[in-house]
Amino acid sequence: MPQRHSKNNNDLAYFTYEEKRKLGYGTQRERLGKDSIKPFDACCLCLKPLIDPLACPKGHTFCKECILECLLAQKKDIKRKLIAHESQKKQEKEEEEEKMMLQKSKDLDAFDQQNHGAVPQYLDRSGSQGKNGFHGANSVKTTSFEEEALRTMKAFWLPSATPEATVKVDAPSTDTICPEGQEKLKMKALFSISFTEENADHKSKKSVEKSYMCPSCKSTLTNTMSLVAISTCGHVFCKKCSDKFLATDKVCLVCNKPCKERNLVPLEKGGTGFAAHDDHLEAKNFKHLGSGSGLGLVRPAPKA
């Protein structure tokens, strides 16, 4: 009875299309759900609902405890790197001085041999001289070829002659960076934000979690909306109300505090480091099979 060799054949030197399909070869796509997207009221570090929310000038939101702990950890790491860099510079300076001293002593020895004969007087390691002022051939400060070769030889099989790679510590940057946007960030640049909670009349009876609304148009804030925060007072509005009222009146609609256009900070929404947001809500994974082996490298495909 004839067999279906296209699906059952496995004695070829290459993979057939059906075998590649079974191994997951190619690009696999999956639509991301709501659970894969960070809510607008979640911290960028702990991914939990915001507690005492702070925002950076680029619009990334954090819990106060999370961002302060992150910046303090960065400062400690910078301090540690600065100490390591200073110790390396000190060690390099000492090594340079030692090389200069050795070169100077070699020059003096060469000058002494040239002017006082081939057998100068040298002290022993104990600091004493022989009866005649020298110990014969042992007093001549010359190194044989074998000793010189052993001293300069780099052999990985001998523990005493194993070469060591010098780890050079570059001068670290003294600036703390935003963990989400990777731009320079200082503590004084952070500002607090406040969301307006929905009233019992506007809030849905089925919803248990906190929900927020725009204080101007009273519409419920969701991930699909673009939000704008005022850096002077911290109130959050939707993008439509910001463009319609805040940009023209130059005053907050809640506290009547004056604000300028540079004080209107658009808040980042949606994606985290693991998912995108807006229109590109599709995860891709590309699997490449290695040549000659059934195993290959799995790497994420570039985002659309």
Side-chain angles (χ1 to χ4, degrees), residues 76-278:
K76 289 182 180 179
D77 189 51
I78 290 171
K79 187 177 180 180
R80 178 184 59 81
K81 290 181 179 179
L82 284 173
I83 293 174
H85 182 64
E86 291 296 330
S87 62
Q88 177 182 327
K89 287 176 62 178
K90 185 178 179 181
Q91 184 179 0
E92 289 178 353
K93 187 177 179 180
E94 292 177 354
E95 290 178 356
E96 189 67 26
E97 291 178 353
E98 185 178 357
K99 287 181 180 179
M100 291 178 63
M101 293 292 293
L102 289 174
Q103 186 64 31
K104 188 176 180 180
S105 63
K106 287 182 179 179
D107 294 342
L108 289 174
D109 290 342
F111 179 80
D112 190 30
Q113 289 182 6
Q114 185 177 3
N115 291 275
H116 297 88
V119 186
Q121 296 180 358
Y122 289 97
L123 296 175
D124 295 336
R125 292 182 180 179
S126 60
S128 60
Q129 291 184 349
K131 295 181 180 179
N132 300 326
F134 61 92
H135 296 282
N138 294 330
S139 63
V140 181
K141 194 174 183 181
T142 57
T143 307
S144 64
F145 175 77
E146 292 81 3
E147 292 176 352
E148 183 70 19
L150 286 174
R151 188 172 62 84
T152 59
M153 182 178 64
K154 302 298 181 183
F156 64 89
W157 59 88
L158 296 177
S160 59
T162 303
E164 295 181 358
T166 57
V167 180
K168 190 174 182 180
V169 181
D170 298 329
S173 175
T174 56
D175 298 321
T176 53
I177 61 174
C178 175
E180 185 70 13
Q182 300 300 320
E183 68 271 355
K184 294 180 182 180
L185 177 65
K186 295 182 179 180
M187 287 188 181
K188 63 180 181 181
L190 298 169
F191 61 92
S192 60
I193 58 175
S194 60
F195 294 96
T196 304
E197 291 191 29
E198 281 188 328
N199 301 329
D201 300 335
H202 298 85
K203 191 175 182 180
S204 176
K205 295 181 180 180
K206 295 182 180 180
S207 61
V208 180
E209 300 179 354
K210 287 184 179 181
S211 58
Y212 303 100
M213 67 177 183
C214 174
S216 176
C217 61
K218 307 299 181 183
S219 59
T220 304
L221 302 181
T222 61
N223 266 8
T224 59
M225 301 174 63
S226 298
L227 307 179
V228 176
I230 304 176
S231 61
T232 54
C233 61
H235 292 106
V236 180
F237 299 85
C238 64
K239 180 69 174 174
K240 293 181 180 179
C241 294
S242 173
D243 296 339
K244 191 174 181 180
F245 302 110
L246 299 180
T248 57
D249 298 341
K250 309 291 185 182
V251 65
C252 179
L253 302 178
V254 178
C255 59
N256 294 326
K257 192 172 183 179
C259 63
K260 297 181 180 180
E261 189 174 356
R262 66 171 181 268
N263 301 129
L264 303 179
V265 180
L267 297 181
E268 292 291 334
K269 61 174 181 177
T272 63
F274 305 98
H277 61 89
D278 291 339

Side-chain angles (χ1 to χ4, degrees), residues 55-72:
C56 71
K58 295 295 183 180
H60 302 107
T61 55
F62 308 94
C63 297
K64 184 176 182 180
E65 182 181 358
C66 294
I67 187 62
L68 293 183
E69 185 178 354
C70 178
L71 293 179
L72 288 175

Side-chain angles (χ1 to χ4, degrees), residues 269-297:
K269 61 174 181 177
T272 63
F274 305 98
H277 61 89
D278 291 339
D279 298 331
H280 307 294
L281 301 178
E282 190 180 60
K284 292 184 179 181
N285 193 56
F286 177 76
K287 187 171 184 180
H288 172 68
L289 298 180
S291 60
S293 64
L295 303 178
L297 298 177

